[in-house]
Amino acid sequence: MKKLVVLGGGESGVGTAILGQKMGYSVWLSDAGPIKPAYQDALDARQIAWEQNGHDPIKMAEADLVMKSPGIPDKVAVVQDFVQRGIPVISEIEFAAPFTTAKTIGITGSNGKTTTTMLTYYLLQQGGLNVGLAGNVGKSFAWQVAEADFDYYVLELSSFQLDGVFQYKPDIAILTNLSPDHLDRYDYQYDKYIASKFRITQNLEATDYFIYDADDPTIAEWMSNKNLTIKAQCIPFSLTKQNKNGAFINATTMEIHINDEEFEMNTADISLEGKHNLKNAMAATSVAKLLKIRSKTVRESLVNFQGVEHRLEKVLKIQNVQYINDSKATNVNSVMFALDSMNTPTIWIVGGVDKGNDYDELMPLVREKVKAIVCLGVDNYKIINTFGNVVDIMVEVDNMSDAVRTSQRLAEKGDTVLLSPACASFDLFENYEDRGRQFKEAVKNL
């Protein structure tokens, strides 16, 4: 019996352990930290062996195959030990994919992937398809493969998940855009991060589809690279370029031309606001048309879709000041979208764990839109250094309640308070969801 070692006792790890057991592996799950009680119960109920707060070297030595949760860096000693011994270290997606006959739509990119994933899932659901949601969102892909029976999966795939992919290929792949992110995990080399994203295309075949942002200069540069071969049928989307086989904006109309089929919709009717969301809508609609969802259903769905929590989420308007939760903006490019969409003077709450950010790109937008900055983080030096002479008011705080109360004091009628951190959240919060929820709670308590 093959021994599967699962590193990480979160959603991804527990799901893999459950599927591994079902497929006849001897499973050992190990986490360097504590495992949440709900996951302990799930493992115990299935009599899957596990440990927390450390790795047993004897159990580690027995591994034939290792599934590493995406949050664990490649550089940690336990992972390096497996690599040096020639033991395959793969991601949950790579492990689970061979055990399902379902078609998968894999979505990656620096920004917009969650909105595109959720919108794609919603379009397919509304179209009557039997579809699951997994990857970075929803329930573990492996867990669903073990215990559900879907015909399609929409998978949000991070660069960390793609790093552990070798044989997996989606039937439809989407690359929303590229901008520097997570560079701390890629030796501060942007090319390594880009290569990680393009792994989504490495196994595509002529019968598959690759949907991508034709306006993105980095994507264009890499696609013209002679060392990169994409065998799939390519479907570009663009705000400016009209493609015979692709998606584009023509004045105030979104047009999709795919396989001799045409779809049109007035952009004013699409519920999601902003140019970046038109791109997300074009990508998701392209999938819906490839899978033959009725145009009437697609139009109704694009009108009704409510967007994603923690992504430019309007929380409350208090004394004519709008509070917006954009906690999911963990990199500079995301914040650029957010600030660009602000139409009123903005108090910007920013900061957290810096991931190698270059804030200079935001300078024109900060000069134009931001009247005050509230720094929310343990180490705000880089933000203060960059914007200290650009805005009149800059305040440092170390908890969300103070951030919101300070912003309220700085705001005047007609202003916007925007939480758009540009950073990871792990200095003061569990994750970006926790940060966003604390923001919403603090706003409601004003």
Side-chain angles (χ1 to χ4, degrees), residues 116 119-120 123-124 174 279-289:
T116 303
L119 179 55
T120 302
L123 289 173
L124 302 193
I174 298 177
K279 292 190 172 192
N280 298 335
M282 284 190 280
T285 303
S286 297
V287 176
K289 295 316 295 175

Side-chain angles (χ1 to χ4, degrees), residues 4-10 13-14 17 27-35 43 48-57 59-60 66-69 72 78 82:
L4 169 67
V5 167
V6 176
L7 291 180
V14 173
V27 180
W28 174 257
L29 183 143
S30 179
D31 198 308
I35 297 173
L43 294 166
I48 296 171
W50 57 273
E51 66 178 343
Q52 60 182 347
N53 300 317
H55 303 299
D56 181 337
K59 297 287 188 185
M60 297 292 105
V66 176
M67 195 298 292
K68 176 180 76 68
S69 295
I72 302 170
V78 66
F82 287 125

Side-chain angles (χ1 to χ4, degrees), residues 125-154:
Q125 238 190 357
Q126 295 301 303
L129 298 185
N130 177 29
V131 57
L133 174 70
N136 256 10
V137 290
K139 199 172 176 67
S140 152
F141 178 47
W143 203 325
Q144 291 184 67
V145 169
E147 298 186 347
D149 186 22
F150 291 111
D151 299 323
Y152 297 87
Y153 285 99
V154 181

Side-chain angles (χ1 to χ4, degrees), residues 273-277 311-315 321-327 329 334-349 362 364-372 414-420 439:
E273 296 175 16
K275 290 176 184 173
H276 60 294
N277 276 323
R311 169 63 83 214
L312 288 174
E313 177 190 8
K314 289 179 180 173
V315 180
V321 174
Q322 179 70 63
Y323 291 80
I324 295 178
N325 168 27
D326 195 38
S327 181
S334 285
V335 175
M336 202 176 290
F337 290 140
L339 289 176
D340 190 46
S341 67
M342 294 297 109
N343 298 314
T344 59
T346 300
I347 291 90
W348 176 30
I349 303 174
L362 296 172
L365 284 167
V366 172
R367 287 186 197 279
E368 181 191 348
K369 312 264 189 174
V370 176
K371 64 185 279 185
D415 289 354
T416 299
V417 173
L418 171 69
L419 169 69
S420 194
F439 175 76

Side-chain angles (χ1 to χ4, degrees), residues 49-332:
W50 57 273
E51 66 178 343
Q52 60 182 347
N53 300 317
H55 303 299
D56 181 337
I58 295 169
K59 297 287 188 185
M60 297 292 105
E62 295 170 355
D64 296 306
L65 177 66
V66 176
M67 195 298 292
K68 176 180 76 68
S69 295
I72 302 170
D74 293 332
K75 294 183 176 70
V76 299
V78 66
V79 174
Q80 284 300 305
D81 184 54
F82 287 125
V83 171
Q84 283 158 17
R85 289 193 286 126
I87 309 295
V89 180
I90 64 173
S91 70
E92 174 204 1
I93 307 301
E94 179 80 356
F95 179 77
F99 301 119
T100 178
T101 56
K103 289 188 179 299
T104 64
I105 297 97
I107 300 170
T108 196
S110 301
N111 296 298
K113 59 182 179 293
T114 301
T115 300
T116 303
T117 299
M118 299 300 289
L119 179 55
T120 302
Y121 174 66
Y122 182 70
L123 289 173
L124 302 193
Q125 238 190 357
Q126 295 301 303
L129 298 185
N130 177 29
V131 57
L133 174 70
N136 256 10
V137 290
K139 199 172 176 67
S140 152
F141 178 47
W143 203 325
Q144 291 184 67
V145 169
E147 298 186 347
D149 186 22
F150 291 111
D151 299 323
Y152 297 87
Y153 285 99
V154 181
L155 305 176
E156 181 188 319
L157 301 175
S158 68
S159 55
F160 303 156
Q161 285 163 320
L162 290 168
D163 287 336
V165 159
F166 304 93
Q167 303 299 322
Y168 165 72
K169 72 166 189 67
D171 297 273
I172 301 172
I174 298 177
L175 180 55
T176 58
N177 51 52
L178 288 168
S179 64
D181 197 7
H182 303 295
L183 296 189
D184 50 332
R185 284 274 291 259
Y186 293 96
D187 302 322
Y188 295 93
Q189 293 180 43
Y190 187 26
D191 275 3
K192 286 188 176 180
Y193 170 73
I194 299 168
S196 174
K197 289 295 190 187
F198 267 100
R199 288 176 75 89
I200 200 168
T201 68
Q202 66 187 353
N203 299 314
L204 295 178
E205 297 170 359
T207 51
D208 301 321
Y209 294 91
F210 177 51
I211 299 168
Y212 66 95
D213 183 354
D215 299 333
D216 190 299
T218 308
I219 292 176
E221 183 189 332
W222 274 63
M223 286 185 70
S224 65
N225 183 338
K226 292 181 176 59
N227 296 323
L228 180 72
T229 304
I230 298 174
K231 295 178 183 173
Q233 300 170 62
C234 291
I235 298 176
F237 59 85
S238 170
L239 294 174
T240 56
K241 305 179 187 83
Q242 297 194 9
N243 297 289
K244 286 181 181 175
N245 198 46
F248 55 88
I249 304 299
N250 183 4
T252 59
T253 304
M254 179 173 81
E255 295 190 26
I256 316 281
H257 297 243
I258 290 176
N259 298 343
D260 300 323
E261 256 201 84
E262 293 185 13
F263 171 89
E264 292 187 357
M265 182 171 178
N266 191 317
T267 55
D269 296 333
I270 297 171
S271 63
L272 294 173
E273 296 175 16
K275 290 176 184 173
H276 60 294
N277 276 323
L278 285 180
K279 292 190 172 192
N280 298 335
M282 284 190 280
T285 303
S286 297
V287 176
K289 295 316 295 175
L290 284 171
L291 298 179
K292 310 294 185 191
I293 306 296
R294 289 172 62 226
S295 293
K296 181 174 183 287
T297 304
V298 173
R299 282 192 197 92
E300 288 171 356
S301 301
L302 289 170
V303 168
N304 295 327
F305 182 68
Q306 288 304 302
V308 176
E309 189 181 12
H310 312 300
R311 169 63 83 214
L312 288 174
E313 177 190 8
K314 289 179 180 173
V315 180
L316 282 176
K317 192 174 261 193
I318 301 171
Q319 294 171 326
N320 207 27
V321 174
Q322 179 70 63
Y323 291 80
I324 295 178
N325 168 27
D326 195 38
S327 181
K328 202 170 190 309
T330 60
N331 59 43
V332 166

Side-chain angles (χ1 to χ4, degrees), residues 348-393:
W348 176 30
I349 303 174
V350 57
V353 180
D354 185 273
K355 298 187 287 184
N357 289 342
D358 178 4
Y359 294 107
D360 288 341
E361 296 172 52
L362 296 172
M363 200 63 79
L365 284 167
V366 172
R367 287 186 197 279
E368 181 191 348
K369 312 264 189 174
V370 176
K371 64 185 279 185
I373 289 177
V374 177
C375 298
L376 174 62
V378 171
D379 179 9
N380 302 309
Y381 168 78
K382 204 166 163 184
I383 295 164
I384 293 166
N385 211 32
T386 307
F387 300 114
N389 297 321
V390 179
V391 296
D392 293 333
I393 304 167

